[in-house]
Amino acid sequence: MKNFTFTVMDKIRNYINGELIEPLAGHYIENVDPSRGVVYSLIPDSDASDVALATKAAKEAFPSWSKTPKEKRSRILQKLAFLIEDNLDRLAMAESIDNGKPLRLAKTVDIPRAAANFNFYATGILHYASQSHAMEDVAINYTLREPIGVCGCISPWNLPLYLFSWKIAPALAAGNTVVAKPSEVTPMTAYLLSELCIEAGLPKGVLNIVHGLGQKVGAAITEHQDIPVISFTGGTVTGKQIISVAGPMFKKLSLELGGKNPNIIFDDCDFEKALKTTVHSSFANQGQICLCGSRIFVQRGIYEKFRDAFVEKVKNLKVGDPRSEDSNLGAVVSKQHMEKVLSYIELAQQEGGKVLTGGHRVMMEGDLESGYYLAPTIIENLAYDCRTNQEEIFGPVVTIMPFDTTEEVIMMANSTTYGLASTVWTENLTKAHNVAARIHAGIVWVNCWLLRDLRTPFGGVKNSGVGREGGFEALDFFTEPKNVCIKL
Ligand code: NAD
């Protein structure tokens, strides 16, 4: 295990053209440890000039990287995956400090998944094939799949290295070069990744990581004329801004946006399994996973029994030091986010909601006393179409509502502008298929949650996004198809 300690004020640097460098203007912004509410490092406050430098490096690296045999690209990316695994403890600690998430979660989910992303696409590219279409006795068509050029990858704070690598890995495996921007709220593991890229022997300029604010760095990536592809994960409002700039420039866009996912529990479910998983799907990572089920619909026959058992279990969850083994929830990501979540709890009460448990900030002691902790919160008695049930809160807050019929719950589940994920609990297979087919969502989990096969298409419908990540879908996105038609 490698040690990981922060000096009083660590300075993160940009990774451009294979080197770790200061932002050109020399400005920095503060990076806060949300578990303690203190500034612990500095992030480059980069601007368009840093993005221009990174894009130039990526553009110059493209001809060579795109022509590098895929076996060689694969080996370098597998080495990177290996280095991530080798640095698991160090990276997990960094993720926990930066984000406030339980160290245990970072160790078992975030960092292993980041390594898996690189491994998956490093090997996936070796099996990626294009199609051919024969026109009997007339012609044969085949499709060339070529890397596109410099790709812009912009990611959020909730699963920092996990989602950052989920974009970068397929882009690089397909032979593109990348200008990437992690969230300014959680930049540390992306910075540590840049050190590992150097160790892995990734050629200069193939991956460039520019740190800073969305409005400056993200916007500069979006509007740069030499970046024809943008892969973005984040909020729906930001997604709209990106479309408004990149759309008229005819950039290729993949947008993974917000959600307001329904969790539908029929009275013929396996009660204990549904209960246990619902605690997890509601409050994992402090409810800050785009796939968390934030609207829980329970069929009337088991509503009271389920509600009471659920409240009981949630009351027993421990909010505590993210570094303690027994903490179920750590800190939420920032003061600003904590205040946003609290404002939604207030709104819910104004809308007639009854807080069954939680509903408040949790004050800690000692060096955690200024940290941003929230009690897991369950709210009842709200109409399915009120603001609390329609808008994304993205914190440890769920609502619970009874329903009578399948028709009614499908109507309520589909009533939001979002359509990312959903969960259905029933032992009746016919019902499961029927409901799964009718829910407006990119993913339907039946009798499980967050079970991921990286080969499957991942993404949302409606305001939850455009396009799909995962499997060969991502390699399709990061390549340009060209039809070649040969007359026989
Ligand atoms: P955000 O939209 O505020 O920020 C995401 C990224 O975009 C950050 O790196 C940010 O700096 C950058 N950004 C901000 N303004 C920009 C601009 N004008 N141009 C370009 N880039 C800009 O989102 P967030 O608060 O970091 O993350 C939470 C949101 O992400 C939630 O809505 C959540 O549902 C969503 N999310 C979606 C998925 C998914 O797969 N669908 C996964 C995780 C999170």
Side-chain angles (χ1 to χ4, degrees), residues 73-321:
R73 294 201 301 262
S74 171
R75 275 200 300 279
I76 295 173
L77 295 177
Q78 285 187 63
K79 183 156 186 209
L80 192 51
F82 168 77
L83 287 171
I84 292 171
E85 283 165 0
D86 201 35
N87 284 272
L88 172 79
D89 292 310
R90 178 173 175 245
L91 289 164
M93 181 61 85
E95 205 73 293
S96 173
I97 293 172
D98 226 17
N99 174 280
K101 67 176 64 209
L103 178 60
R104 189 164 30 90
L105 187 71
K107 264 189 188 173
T108 54
V109 176
D110 292 75
I111 308 306
R113 173 60 192 272
N117 289 341
F118 279 109
N119 252 330
F120 181 81
Y121 281 107
T123 50
I125 194 64
L126 303 177
H127 305 274
Y128 185 53
S130 62
Q131 293 177 309
S132 78
H133 300 84
M135 300 164 74
E136 295 80 5
D137 300 331
V138 180
I140 183 149
N141 295 271
Y142 61 86
T143 308
L144 290 176
R145 280 267 167 197
E146 293 164 338
I148 306 170
V150 183
C151 299
C153 298
I154 305 173
S155 61
W157 50 256
N158 63 323
L159 299 165
L161 193 61
Y162 173 137
L163 291 173
F164 194 59
S165 52
W166 186 228
K167 301 184 175 305
I168 291 169
L172 296 179
N176 301 284
T177 55
V178 170
V179 175
K181 188 197 111 49
S183 170
E184 63 273 31
V185 186
T186 53
M188 189 55 84
T189 48
Y191 172 57
L192 297 175
L193 179 75
S194 53
E195 294 181 345
L196 299 181
C197 288
I198 295 170
E199 205 178 328
L202 193 68
K204 283 175 191 271
V206 168
L207 171 64
N208 303 273
I209 301 175
V210 186
H211 294 272
L213 301 172
Q215 299 296 341
K216 287 163 86 171
V217 177
I221 292 173
T222 307
E223 65 198 25
H224 200 294
Q225 60 181 8
D226 289 338
I227 303 182
V229 181
I230 302 288
S231 173
F232 169 79
T233 300
T236 296
V237 172
T238 315
K240 268 187 198 162
Q241 282 172 4
I242 289 176
I243 289 188
S244 72
V245 176
M249 295 175 81
F250 304 108
K251 294 194 179 198
K252 202 169 182 188
L253 279 176
S254 164
L255 303 171
E256 300 294 339
L257 309 176
K260 188 75 179 174
N261 309 312
N263 176 6
I264 301 173
I265 301 168
F266 286 97
D267 57 15
D268 60 358
C269 69
D270 180 321
F271 189 90
E272 288 306 322
K273 277 191 195 150
L275 180 64
K276 187 167 173 236
T277 305
T278 295
V279 173
H280 191 50
S281 67
S282 302
F283 300 113
N285 203 36
Q286 297 70 248
Q288 302 166 139
I289 300 181
C290 55
L291 307 165
C292 278
S294 52
R295 295 178 295 148
I296 305 171
F297 298 101
V298 187
Q299 202 160 20
R300 185 99 45 199
I302 58 164
Y303 180 75
E304 286 182 12
K305 181 178 166 204
F306 186 92
R307 177 199 60 197
D308 295 349
F310 181 51
V311 169
E312 207 44 48
K313 274 202 179 295
V314 172
K315 276 185 176 160
N316 286 328
L317 292 176
K318 185 172 173 216
V319 180
D321 184 345

